[in-house]
């Protein structure tokens, strides 16, 4: 019962706020929306602790949903450890973001009830996704968060950049969702159902099945796994599909925190864990997952080192950290992947909301080059952002040191070639993560102020309605790793997960985590400290050094600053050809054919009628003569036919 309340309470808040907001007013609508999330934030963790306290996992059947021939789908909530963890985390973090939004959106001139309705609807869609008992319901939540992200990223609709970012996010995700939908269809044709309870027990017996396509045979399970992962790549902004994520920063900062920390981008990681009984029988697909995840972790970290927008640095950090999670899933350490997902939710929400507090203090300024010396002006924001950065960089005893180090160790413990590639990439990314985190801290809070004098005159600490959620999240960033370590990957993990995550019979990677060499455990910390030291030397000891390096290595600097030119490449390969094709269809197909043919026929008929009208002269003699000619022609035809 608590589990169902946690899922549907945000929907109730969204409906009241969205449909009755004009009637009851902004404050009441915001109160209802936050009350719905508060109820979820209480019931979700309680349902989780009930399960860990000995309650039996199960399925809460809400009734039939789709009935079409042999295609049957029930509307049901899956209550197991994986769902319960996600519901507790999503509901709690989303509630804090709702509270924070009261202060952050306090001066917005638009109707705030609509914004809070979108936030609650977003949370509900994510909760539906993580509690789905079948792939249709999961896809419903999957598309629901996609729709809400479009509405929230483009909430400031009078900004062309926000509209463009919303469209970009929507289109890129829809492209990735097509293979995902095909994968779901293939699952139905192979297993006769899309219910997890039917699919998972039958995977082993279909492991040898294949598809014949274009004269080549493909493993059925591998094909399905690849298609599902492509869908996950889009939602979780992995390499190639990452281009929408930084642009999503055009939305209000609470939206950035909600998308990047607790909800949308983690959906792909959750999908891999949920489908682990299938993914474990697709070793080639898992190798691809590892490669993409590790490559994304390093790729995004390199870009984060040179960005100047405070929110974009954190956005690329999200992209990189998601790569860590996929690298873990690819080597079979799904538990470590989920561990980092949960700890990341706390410290990444903390970092985004702290960035919002900085932007709020600096009159909407987001360029770190125009900040500096803010530690004395906004000390609380500075403190909590330090905590978030320590967790992100993996400095003990903060949360990230437990989960990220476990992923790095898992890639080494896998003992495979692709695992070693992931090990090297994640180690290098750990160094770069610490570097860009301290670059952000030093440019924003320390050193000489570079801010405009008029901006500094109005700089101020955020109200407590914004600072309180930051303080709560900072506790999670400090203690979540320590509190969850034993449950997620320590000695208690088999009982804790209780079959919610599947590991193949030959996979003992979590046991191997305790037997990696000591230098493997120590390497992330050493590289993190080196990254911090480098940032300190470059941005505090000798602030001119970054300028000299950018001038000396101009080509590399521009390459990273322009995000490896992915946007420019996609513009040439996809966007411009699509625009030219659309213009061709418009000018030829629409204007010339669809509109041109009827208009031309109408014009021809009009001209013809004007000429025919001229025959009507009103002269009886001409009419009689025409009749006579007609009779002569008729008689002539009659005579010739004989």
């Amino acid at each position: 019962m608590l589990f169902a309340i946690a899922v549907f309470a945000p929907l109730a808040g969204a409906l009241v706020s969205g449909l009755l907001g004009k009637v009851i007013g902004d404050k009441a609508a915001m109160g209802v929306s936050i009350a719905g999330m508060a109820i979820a934030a209480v019931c979700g963790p309680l349902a989780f602790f009930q399960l860990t306290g000995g309650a039996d996992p199960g399925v809460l059947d809400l009734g039939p949903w789709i009935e079409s021939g042999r295609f049957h789908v029930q509307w049901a909530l899956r209550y197991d450890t994986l769902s319960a963890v996600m519901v507790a985390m999503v509901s709690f973090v989303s509630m804090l973001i709702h509270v924070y939004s009261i202060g952050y959106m306090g001066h917005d001139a638009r109707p705030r009830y609509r914004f809070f309705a979108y936030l609650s609807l977003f949370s509900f869609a994510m909760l539906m996704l993580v509690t789905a008992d079948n792939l249709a319901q999961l896809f419903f939540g999957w598309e629901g968060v996609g729709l809400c992200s479009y509405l929230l990223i483009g909430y400031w609709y009078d900004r062309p950049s926000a509209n463009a970012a919303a469209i970009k996010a929507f289109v890129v995700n829809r492209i990735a969702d097509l293979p995902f939908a095909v994968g779901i269809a293939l699952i139905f044709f192979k297993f006769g159902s899309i219910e997890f309870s039917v699919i998972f027990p039958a995977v082993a017996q279909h492991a040898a099945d294949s598809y014949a396509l274009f004269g080549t045979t493909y493993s059925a399970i591998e094909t399905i796994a690849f298609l599902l992962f492509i869908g996950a790549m889009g939602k979780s902004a992995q390499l190639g599909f990452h281009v929408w994520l930084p642009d999503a920063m055009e939305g209000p900062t609470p939206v950035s925190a909600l998308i990047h920390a607790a909800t949308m981008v983690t959906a792909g990681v959750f999908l891999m864990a949920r489908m682990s009984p299938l993914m474990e029988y697709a070793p080639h697909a898992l190798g691809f997952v590892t490669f993409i995840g590790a490559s994304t972790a390093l790729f995004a970290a390199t870009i984060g080192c040179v960005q100047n927008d405070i929110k974009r640095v954190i956005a690329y950090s999200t992209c990189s950290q998601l790569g860590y999670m996929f690298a873990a899933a690819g080597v079979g350490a799904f538990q470590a992947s989920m561990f980092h997902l949960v700890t990341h939710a706390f410290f990444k929400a903390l970092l985004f909301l702290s960035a919002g507090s900085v932007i709020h203090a600096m009159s909407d300024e987001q360029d770190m080059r125009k900040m500096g010396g803010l530690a004395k002006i906004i000390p609380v924001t500075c403190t909590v952002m330090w905590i978030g950065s320590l967790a992100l960089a993996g400095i003990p005893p903060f949360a990230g040191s437990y989960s990220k180090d476990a992923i790095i160790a898992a890639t080494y413990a896998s003992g495979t070639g692709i695992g070693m590639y992931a090990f090297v990439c994640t180690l290098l990314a750990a160094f770069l993560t610490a570097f860009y985190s301290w670059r952000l801290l030093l440019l924003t809070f320390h050193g000489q102020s570079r801010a405009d004098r008029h901006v500094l005159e109005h700089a101020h600490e955020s109200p407590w309605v914004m600072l309180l959620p930051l303080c709560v999240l900072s506790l999670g960033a400090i203690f979540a790793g320590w509190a969850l370590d034993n449950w997620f990957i320590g000695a208690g993990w088999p009982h804790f997960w209780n079959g919610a995550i599947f590991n193949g019979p030959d996979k003992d990677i979590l046991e191997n985590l305790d037997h990696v060499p000591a230098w493997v455990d120590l390497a992330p910390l050493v590289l993190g400290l080196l990254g911090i030291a480098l940032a300190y030397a470059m941005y505090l000891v000798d602030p001119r050094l970054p300028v000299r390096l950018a001038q000396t290595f101009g080509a590399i600097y521009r390459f990273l600053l322009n995000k490896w030119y992915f946007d420019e490449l996609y513009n040439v390969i996809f966007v411009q050809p699509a625009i030219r094709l659309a213009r061709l269809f418009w000018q030829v197909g629409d204007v010339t054919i669809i509109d041109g043919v009827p208009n031309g026929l109408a014009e021809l008929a009009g001209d013809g009628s004007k000429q025919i009208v001229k025959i009507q002269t009103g002269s009886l003699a001409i009419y009689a003569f025409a009749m006579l000619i007609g009779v002569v022609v008729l008689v002539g035809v009659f005579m010739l036919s004989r």
Side-chain angles (χ1 to χ4, degrees):
M1 186 62 180
L2 289 173
F3 197 62
I5 293 173
V7 173
F8 287 103
L11 176 62
L15 291 175
V16 173
S17 181
L19 299 178
L20 302 178
K22 278 188 177 181
V23 178
I24 63 179
D26 271 353
K27 289 186 178 181
M30 290 160 55
V32 172
S33 179
I34 292 172
M37 284 310 310
I39 292 171
V42 172
C43 294
L46 285 177
F48 166 75
F49 287 118
Q50 279 185 347
L51 193 62
T52 57
D56 294 327
V59 175
L60 180 60
D61 194 342
L62 303 178
W65 182 23
I66 302 174
E67 299 283 347
S68 179
R70 63 190 186 94
F71 183 68
H72 305 283
V73 177
Q74 290 291 115
W75 192 272
L77 303 180
R78 190 177 185 87
Y79 181 47
D80 62 7
T81 307
L82 187 58
S83 292
V85 164
M86 291 298 292
V87 168
M89 183 270 291
V90 169
S91 60
F92 185 73
V93 175
S94 295
M95 180 271 293
L96 294 176
I97 293 172
H98 274 66
V99 174
Y100 176 93
S101 299
I102 298 173
Y104 192 86
M105 302 299 290
H107 301 294
D108 196 85
R110 297 165 187 80
R112 283 173 291 169
Y113 71 84
R114 186 180 296 124
F115 179 79
F116 278 82
Y118 293 163
L119 285 182
S120 294
L121 189 62
F122 197 130
S123 303
F124 166 72
M126 187 65 187
L127 291 170
M128 289 306 307
L129 188 160
V130 300
T131 58
D133 190 46
N134 57 74
L135 285 166
Q137 188 175 324
L138 189 150
F139 196 68
F140 166 79
W142 192 273
E143 296 302 298
V145 292
L147 169 63
C148 293
S149 70
Y150 171 80
L151 297 172
L152 286 166
I153 295 169
Y155 177 73
W156 285 328
Y157 51 81
D158 53 349
R159 299 182 182 180
S161 58
N163 291 326
I167 293 171
K168 187 175 184 179
F170 193 80
V171 170
V172 171
N173 275 276
R174 298 295 76 70
I175 292 171
D177 287 350
L178 177 59
F180 184 25
V182 173
I184 294 174
L186 290 180
I187 286 176
F188 176 73
F189 289 124
K190 177 59 61 178
F191 295 92
S193 174
I194 57 173
E195 304 278 348
F196 296 143
S197 58
V198 176
I199 299 169
F200 294 160
V203 172
Q205 67 190 57
H206 290 285
D209 292 0
S210 62
Y211 294 120
L213 185 64
F214 303 126
T216 306
T217 301
Y218 300 92
S219 165
I221 300 300
E222 292 277 9
T223 301
I224 292 170
F226 269 103
L227 292 170
L228 295 180
F229 177 59
I230 293 173
M233 286 176 65
K235 195 66 72 183
S236 295
Q238 293 300 281
L239 186 62
F241 289 96
H242 69 280
V243 291
W244 68 269
L245 194 63
D247 289 354
M249 298 301 97
E250 293 294 335
T253 298
V255 174
S256 304
L258 194 62
I259 291 176
H260 286 243
T263 54
M264 182 172 167
V265 295
T266 62
V269 179
F270 170 81
L271 177 66
M272 293 295 98
R274 174 58 78 202
M275 299 303 294
S276 56
L278 184 145
M279 298 299 296
E280 283 285 66
Y281 285 89
H284 294 97
L286 283 180
F288 184 63
V289 173
T290 306
F291 172 76
I292 292 294
S295 300
T296 304
L298 181 57
F299 154 78
T302 62
I303 299 176
C305 291
V306 298
Q307 295 300 302
N308 297 311
D309 184 308
I310 187 171
K311 286 173 64 177
R312 284 180 181 266
V313 174
I314 304 173
Y316 278 107
S317 169
T318 298
C319 195
S320 179
Q321 297 305 305
L322 289 165
Y324 273 91
M325 299 175 206
F326 280 110
V331 297
F334 297 98
Q335 296 87 344
S337 177
M338 289 301 301
F339 187 20
H340 196 50
L341 185 154
V342 174
T343 59
H344 177 263
F346 286 103
F347 61 74
K348 190 50 61 69
L350 175 60
L351 287 171
F352 266 115
L353 297 184
S354 297
S357 183
V358 172
I359 295 167
H360 184 268
M362 295 296 290
S363 303
D364 295 330
E365 179 59 66
Q366 296 184 201
D367 192 332
M368 296 184 298
R369 294 171 297 182
K370 299 178 182 179
M371 297 179 188
L374 294 179
K376 295 180 180 178
I377 301 174
I378 47 175
V380 178
T381 300
C382 175
T383 301
V384 295
M385 204 158 195
W386 264 83
I387 292 172
S389 298
L390 287 165
L392 173 61
I395 305 301
F398 296 88
S401 66
Y402 291 87
S403 56
K404 190 165 70 172
D405 290 6
I407 289 175
I408 294 173
T411 59
Y412 181 89
S414 66
T416 62
I418 193 65
M420 288 307 298
Y421 169 78
F423 176 67
V424 173
C425 286
T426 51
L427 276 181
L428 292 174
F431 169 76
L432 296 176
T433 299
F435 172 78
Y436 67 65
S437 296
W438 260 256
R439 174 178 177 266
L440 183 152
L441 287 173
L442 297 175
L443 284 176
T444 303
F445 296 105
H446 304 286
Q448 295 296 317
S449 175
R450 300 169 302 278
D452 181 86
R453 181 172 59 85
H454 298 291
V455 173
L456 278 179
E457 288 174 353
H458 296 90
H460 60 281
E461 187 64 273
S462 298
W464 277 106
V465 73
M466 295 171 62
L467 295 179
L468 185 60
L470 296 180
C471 295
V472 175
L473 288 169
S474 67
L475 294 176
I478 296 171
F479 298 112
W482 168 79
L484 300 175
D485 179 62
N486 186 63
W487 282 354
F488 277 65
I489 60 171
W493 73 265
H495 173 72
F496 176 76
W497 290 107
N498 195 22
I501 293 177
F502 176 79
N503 296 103
D506 57 339
K507 292 285 184 70
D508 52 2
I509 191 165
L510 292 186
E511 287 85 349
N512 292 343
L513 289 181
D514 295 327
H515 305 291
V516 298
W519 69 267
V520 173
D521 288 327
L522 193 60
L525 175 59
V526 173
L527 289 172
L529 293 175
L530 288 175
I532 293 171
L534 180 61
Y536 182 82
M538 290 179 64
Y539 293 97
L540 212 58
V541 176
D542 186 4
R544 293 172 296 178
L545 182 58
V547 177
R548 294 199 297 269
L549 288 174
Q551 292 172 346
T552 304
F553 303 99
I556 297 175
Y557 175 73
R558 288 190 297 273
F559 180 70
L560 297 178
L561 188 64
N562 287 284
K563 301 160 288 188
W564 291 35
Y565 291 101
F566 264 96
D567 283 316
E568 290 77 5
L569 182 65
Y570 284 3
N571 185 60
V572 172
I573 297 176
F574 300 116
V575 178
Q576 291 305 319
I579 290 174
R580 287 194 289 272
L581 184 63
R583 187 174 288 116
L584 176 66
F585 285 151
W586 169 43
Q587 294 290 351
V588 177
D590 194 6
V591 176
T592 304
I593 299 176
I594 297 175
D595 290 339
V597 171
N599 291 342
L601 291 174
E603 186 176 350
L604 180 62
D607 291 342
S609 64
K610 290 178 182 178
Q611 299 302 322
I612 293 174
V613 164
K614 294 178 181 179
I615 299 175
Q616 305 296 326
T617 63
S619 172
L620 293 176
I622 293 176
Y623 294 162
F625 181 70
M627 291 174 65
L628 178 61
I629 293 174
V631 170
V632 170
V633 170
L634 183 63
V635 171
V637 171
F638 177 73
M639 294 297 293
L640 289 173
S641 65
R642 296 186 66 183

